[in-house]
Amino acid sequence: MSDEPTLVKCLVWDLDNTLWRGTLLEDGEVVLSEEIRAVVAELDARGVLQAVASKNDHDHAWARLEELGIAEYFVLPHIGWGPKSASVAAIAEQLNFAMKTIAFVDDQPAERAEVAHHHPEVRCYDATQVPDLVGLPEFSPKTVTVDAARRRSMYQAGFRRDAERESFAGPDEDFLRSLELVMEIKRADEADLTRVEELTLRTSQMNATGVHYSDADLRALLADPDHEVLTVTLADRFGPHGAVGVLLLGYHGSVWHLKLLATSCRVVSFGAGAALLNWLVDAAARAGVHLAADFRRTDRNRMMDIAYRFAGFTDNVCPCLAEATAADRGAVEFRHLVPERRPAPSTMTLVAPELAAPVQLGIGRS
């Protein structure tokens, strides 16, 4: 497990005397310094989403952000007269982010205190600290992946999808088919390692173990012929969702050991997790092996436990599990499945490699 601070996934900005100099409703004209503009652009390039919680007239403030040429950087502007703690909560909920991944910056001590009181996990910063944010470890991912650099545009595309979904009159499956979804599963290479590590670090609700695999861990697995490191990407007619999943799979004589399954919460509603698990179950059925999946309870991953059970995994003990217990699993539990063939997904196109060659193991149904 990493001892590094939890990375900030979204920074929520106050506007008056924080993002810009001056008070919009009093001064009329406010100024954005080049130093602040550079901070906004740099955080965006690193994949940190940015939102607004400001007590202002919405139309007036948003028009000024557009005039200053920075409106596009803010994914969820909450501009109005309610408490900022409520705005922060709404932003976290809309993004489906844990509070510990949210940060808030404001020039007013009372506003920071109000947010901290209601959301103790949110990290709060004074406006005077803004120039230094890009140097803080919580805003400094070790590497910036392709997906990180375009994270804002992917979320903005997601909001457009959500809007179309709300207006779609037909069944949910018809809407998913209309998206022209394509899921690609591929064996990771050197270029993918940073994206895989980032997924193991950033995903929490749909992470089966909550274990962070370092670059060195992943390289070791990549070099081991008895392991697969698989990445999952998703795209549709709105554009790419980016890297949305990772599987770490170990091969044993009569069982495949799923050491980690992590998928982005952004694609749960598209059936990505179910499609991924069904593909793996089908591949194991064709290979004639059982599946053993690691699961370690965290305070956020109950959804993954449900996903495993919905896919047919149980707590049943099987002799095959002895083959998958070589490593020290600590608090990790096993989920077990005797696989049977599964159909291809009906709402997306799936592109995937062949896994281990089929073997005749004569495994009994246990």
Side-chain angles (χ1 to χ4, degrees), residues 52-208:
V52 172
S54 172
K55 291 181 178 177
N56 255 304
D57 175 78
H58 178 278
D59 293 345
H60 190 185
W62 188 250
R64 187 57 182 149
L65 287 167
E66 290 181 323
E67 290 167 5
L68 293 169
I70 58 169
E72 63 179 332
Y73 287 106
F74 300 102
V75 294
L76 290 171
H78 280 249
I79 305 171
W81 302 105
K84 293 185 180 179
S85 61
S87 295
V88 169
I91 289 165
E93 182 179 1
Q94 286 177 272
L95 293 173
N96 202 17
F97 286 178
M99 282 296 180
K100 66 181 180 180
T101 67
I102 305 292
F104 173 68
V105 59
D106 197 298
D107 67 305
Q108 294 294 320
E111 298 288 9
R112 298 195 301 273
E114 191 266 337
V115 168
H117 173 74
H118 290 280
H119 310 300
E121 289 186 290
V122 171
R123 282 163 283 186
C124 297
Y125 302 87
D126 185 86
T128 59
Q129 297 175 268
V130 168
D132 302 320
L133 293 182
V134 294
L136 298 178
E138 59 265 36
F139 291 94
S140 305
K142 288 189 296 183
T143 55
V144 176
T145 65
V146 172
D147 285 349
R150 62 186 181 189
R151 182 164 289 124
R152 168 175 51 87
S153 62
M154 290 194 296
Y155 270 86
Q156 289 168 331
F159 298 144
R160 292 194 294 273
R161 285 186 201 96
D162 292 344
E164 183 157 326
R165 189 173 206 154
E166 289 180 10
S167 64
F168 192 85
D172 193 53
E173 284 198 2
D174 288 349
F175 171 72
L176 292 178
R177 291 190 190 97
S178 78
L179 290 178
E180 302 170 14
L181 290 157
V182 178
M183 174 184 284
E184 182 178 5
I185 304 166
K186 67 180 285 287
R187 291 183 170 93
D189 53 29
E190 291 281 331
D192 293 320
L193 287 185
T194 53
R195 300 166 83 189
V196 173
E197 182 183 5
E198 184 183 42
L199 270 169
T200 71
L201 189 62
R202 295 179 72 94
T203 55
S204 56
Q205 292 189 53
M206 296 302 291
N207 187 320

